[in-house]
Amino acid sequence: MADLEYTEAELSALAAKAISQPLVTHIHTADPSAHVFDGRLFLYPSHDIDGGTAFDDEGGHFRMQDYHVFRQDSPESPAVDCGVALHVDDVPWAAGQMWAPDAATHDGRYYLYFPAKRADGIFQIGVAVGERPEGPFRAEPEPIAGTYSIDPAVFADADGGHYLYFGGIWGGQMQKYRDNRYDPAHEEPAADEPALGPRVARLTADMKRLAEPTREVLIVDEDGNPLLAGDHERRYFEGPWLHVHQGRYYLSYSTGDTHLLCYAIGDNPYGPFVYQGVILTPVIGWTTHHSIIEFDGRWWLYYHDAILSGGVTHLRNIKVTELHHDADGRIATLHPYGG
Ligand code: FUB
């Protein structure tokens, strides 16, 4: 997960061809989860900082400590910083590394879901409750029992149910679990074995607990065979997101070391999901992470790159661009710097 080397000239050429510009420039932001709550648009990104830690494949250089929430009048409007919504110092169980968050609303309250490392270095997912979409949020004293790993994403289904998805391999630690049990001896499956999928569980009505043990979300090819761990261009790595288009459930995610945002389609929140294709080709920076929303009848992809920092992988900036589904529901592939 090293920095990328770009000359000034290369960066200006990429910026000139980019399909969108950074939404936030006064701080570094990444992993944008966008939501329309009561007709208003809110963004829940990571807040990147330089913690002075050397790069490693475990993501030790992503040392984030807090979250800012942003408000927009529309995806094409400026993003207004609503300030610090939650700080790690106010989370009793968390020691650091506040990675990609998400948010949900239910019965007039707002819930921020976030991963963080406990003092023993193990990631878990917590929830914090607020009275307003922009926070501040008050963290529950303990992480959500039964969760682990990173990248929570909460999907609100039309029947009122909420589903928590999560999971990331490598630094996200999901490869250390099988059947929801941690064993430090576990590693990623071999290349010819089925890849690990994200985890999903329905949330309880109070939005603070899992209503059931998490189960694996299966991503399969067009013949129904599970994608294999060696299929790095298509297999799940991190950053799950769910949206519904014309009655079908779309699971989108990052392929990590091949830097693609891909999608797969299913007919219910648990899957299986059939792999379809690429949403976004690689951005500047090692990571790619996104969310997809509909606003006023148009679809939008929120994502990030690292153009503001000249390619520093852990100093990113969020962006947004329009997304198109064709008549068959296929998503047109976007190229972040044209082409
Ligand atoms: O922001 C830290 C991590 O980088 C996220 O949790 C991953 O999805 C990747 O974007």
Side-chain angles (χ1 to χ4, degrees):
M1 288 202 190
D3 280 354
L4 304 170
E5 302 276 331
Y6 292 96
T7 64
E8 289 281 322
E10 285 167 338
L11 280 171
S12 340
L14 287 168
K17 289 193 298 178
I19 58 174
S20 65
Q21 298 304 318
L23 273 174
V24 174
T25 55
H26 66 290
I27 58 174
H28 287 287
T29 53
D31 311 320
S33 292
H35 285 280
V36 181
F37 290 144
D38 307 319
R40 297 196 299 155
L41 179 50
F42 292 91
L43 313 180
Y44 301 85
S46 301
H47 174 197
D48 283 356
I49 54 168
D50 190 355
T53 305
F55 292 92
D56 62 51
D57 278 346
E58 304 299 305
H61 45 297
F62 292 98
R63 302 213 61 83
M64 300 84 109
Q65 298 188 329
D66 65 15
Y67 298 108
H68 288 229
V69 177
F70 294 82
R71 191 182 64 241
Q72 284 186 291
D73 288 339
S74 79
E76 293 169 295
S77 306
V80 177
D81 188 347
C82 303
V84 175
L86 180 70
H87 193 283
V88 67
D89 290 349
D90 298 318
V91 182
W93 61 269
Q97 295 193 260
M98 308 277 273
W99 287 13
D102 193 20
T105 185
H106 184 57
D107 274 351
R109 290 188 142 180
Y110 299 87
Y111 299 86
L112 183 72
Y113 297 86
F114 59 96
K117 274 188 181 166
R118 307 183 312 222
D120 62 0
I122 305 290
F123 269 116
Q124 227 175 327
I125 293 167
V127 60
V129 187
E131 304 301 324
R132 295 191 304 273
E134 66 271 34
F137 296 94
R138 193 178 56 262
E140 291 294 295
E142 300 289 340
I144 302 173
T147 65
Y148 47 92
S149 193
I150 59 167
D151 290 356
V154 175
F155 168 68
D157 205 0
D159 67 0
H162 289 85
Y163 296 83
L164 174 66
Y165 297 79
F166 65 81
I169 58 174
W170 295 20
Q173 303 174 344
M174 190 171 66
Q175 70 278 8
K176 299 293 181 192
Y177 294 80
R178 294 293 185 277
D179 298 326
N180 294 327
R181 287 175 190 274
Y182 178 82
D183 183 339
H186 287 317
E187 293 299 344
E188 230 181 311
D192 59 353
E193 293 176 347
L196 295 174
R199 310 296 302 187
V200 62
R202 196 174 167 118
L203 289 169
T204 52
D206 69 4
M207 303 292 280
K208 297 180 188 172
R209 290 169 292 129
L210 302 185
E212 56 192 0
T214 77
R215 59 181 93 173
E216 185 170 6
V217 178
L218 196 59
I219 305 172
V220 299
D221 65 17
E222 62 279 13
D223 298 320
N225 300 312
L227 297 187
L228 299 181
D231 187 354
H232 291 213
E233 299 275 325
R234 300 194 297 175
R235 65 94 171 79
Y236 179 83
F237 188 100
E238 63 186 3
W241 187 262
L242 252 285
H243 76 274
V244 172
H245 179 261
Q246 294 184 344
R248 295 194 294 170
Y249 293 78
Y250 287 59
L251 168 70
S252 44
Y253 57 94
S254 164
T255 60
D257 55 352
T258 47
H259 318 290
L260 300 169
L261 290 180
C262 294
Y263 74 107
I265 297 180
D267 60 14
N268 72 83
Y270 293 112
F273 293 86
V274 181
Y275 178 86
Q276 303 291 322
V278 173
I279 295 174
L280 185 73
T281 55
V283 294
I284 295 173
W286 199 94
T287 67
T288 187
H289 188 126
H290 72 300
S291 61
I292 294 171
I293 58 158
E294 185 179 20
F295 187 87
D296 272 353
R298 292 162 69 190
W299 287 89
W300 300 89
L301 175 74
Y302 282 81
Y303 66 107
H304 68 230
D305 69 10
I307 201 158
L308 263 188
S309 65
V312 180
T313 276
H314 62 289
L315 295 177
R316 301 161 289 179
N317 48 267
I318 59 171
K319 294 183 152 188
V320 61
T321 193
E322 192 165 4
L323 183 87
H324 297 280
H325 302 78
D326 71 13
D328 295 324
R330 296 194 67 83
I331 294 177
T333 303
L334 291 159
H335 301 284
Y337 312 103

